[in-house]
Amino acid sequence: MISVIIPVYNLERYLCRCIDSVLCSSYTDFELILIDDGSTDASPQICEDYTERDSRVRLLRQENRGVSAARNRGLEVCQGEWIVFVDGDDSIAPEFLALIDQESRHDPDLMLFECALTEKDLVPRNQKESIRYGKEDKLTLVQSTLTLRQLREQGNVDFLSVWARAINRTAIEKYNLRFSEDLFCGEDAFFNIEYLLRAESCAYIPRAVYLYNIHRDSSSRRFNPRLPDNHELLLHKVKQALEEHGALPALALPYHTYALNMLTSLLFRCVFSPWNPASFREKREMCRRFRSNEIFRQAMRHNRQCSTWNQWGFLVLFRLRCYRSLSLICRILHLVWGRKGIC
């Protein structure tokens, strides 16, 4: 059996499409666990309606504690051999769960699939063979998670989320892995890294099975003044996990890449965001804080090796304290990308 876990918080506009996509799966031996994380809209009633229609649907309720706590609640009660996480504003392909059942005969610890931006991409023109990775390849997979380097040309594995993948429940229970509830952003990537460091085998099935919905009210796209605290904690947790498994020496440059990507994101989405109400002096103090962070300081020494050319130039301006130039660049990019629906 496969356990599909969906955290739910104020998703009345998208929830029916998401649940229907799971219930319409060609593979039928699954349980669908809905965790209502203290919704204040019609989401709880929608969930109740589905539990009455289909015995495979279970509803759990909790006070609002965040997506990590909701997923952890699902992990505590799920009974399937395989675990799939779906966000309540996304949807899956009808064959997703069937592909998991098919690949499970090879007994991997993890299955990776691809994501799609449009429904037509969910049905690939050509069937592609799965690629298998052993214990000796785990650092390659962790490196891809840190650097976002795809496993094949034109691939679309989302390494930063737990979307489009199947996780072996036995491994989850063996190592008592859970999502970090003290993180509100990046908790998926940290969970993935912790799992990969312990995984013995992985199957990569280059099929687009997960359709994510990009919308402007997504929590990951809003300005959040707590982001610096979150990201600094996340960097520390990732480094600690790599050190505990003896992987940091081999993955030093990928980790620096991860840190530089995080620094770039903080400058763009937080410090110099057009929606940041802080004064320019306060923004300058935030930059000073990042400059004194030892992880960022070490990563900046490898900027040329670890960054794309445009990111390298962006961070050179940061190193030279050209904050007004950075502010102007970020404002322009937010304006242009906002019109295109990118941010």
Side-chain angles (χ1 to χ4, degrees), residues 83-189:
I83 299 170
V84 171
F85 294 103
V86 179
D87 281 3
D89 48 358
D90 298 332
S91 56
I92 64 173
E95 69 270 26
F96 182 18
L97 303 186
L99 288 170
I100 294 173
D101 178 62
Q102 177 181 321
E103 190 62 39
S104 67
R105 298 161 194 169
H106 301 287
D107 198 29
D109 286 335
L110 176 67
M111 301 180 203
L112 296 176
F113 296 84
E114 297 192 346
C115 296
L117 287 174
T118 64
E119 290 190 13
K120 67 178 181 179
D121 295 328
L122 289 176
V123 183
R125 295 181 180 179
N126 300 316
Q127 178 74 27
K128 299 179 179 67
E129 295 293 331
S130 60
I131 304 169
R132 294 185 178 85
Y133 297 87
K135 184 177 181 179
E136 67 279 3
D137 301 310
K138 69 167 58 180
L139 293 188
T140 298
L141 297 172
V142 176
Q143 178 174 328
S144 290
T145 304
L146 292 170
T147 63
L148 307 183
R149 181 179 299 172
Q150 290 295 323
L151 300 175
R152 72 178 181 95
E153 188 176 352
Q154 296 182 336
N156 194 24
V157 176
D158 192 329
F159 294 105
L160 297 182
S161 77
V162 288
W163 302 336
R165 60 183 62 205
I167 301 169
N168 192 308
R169 185 166 67 93
T170 301
I172 290 286
E173 293 180 343
K174 179 179 179 180
Y175 299 108
N176 194 29
L177 291 177
R178 293 293 186 270
F179 290 87
S180 294
E181 297 184 24
D182 51 354
L183 296 171
F184 66 85
C185 182
E187 70 282 356
D188 288 14

Side-chain angles (χ1 to χ4, degrees), residues 218-275:
S218 171
S219 60
S220 64
R221 299 158 70 83
R222 301 190 206 109
F223 166 74
N224 192 322
R226 297 186 296 130
L227 208 58
D229 291 336
N230 180 91
H231 281 13
E232 290 180 336
L233 176 60
L234 175 58
L235 280 170
H236 174 73
K237 283 177 171 287
V238 170
K239 184 178 182 181
Q240 186 176 45
L242 295 176
E243 288 175 337
E244 288 176 355
H245 290 267
L248 188 57
L251 296 174
L253 284 180
Y255 178 72
H256 292 323
T257 300
Y258 183 70
L260 291 176
N261 287 341
M262 202 162 291
L263 174 58
T264 304
S265 177
L266 283 173
L267 293 172
F268 179 73
R269 296 194 177 277
C270 186
V271 180
F272 298 113
S273 167
W275 295 277

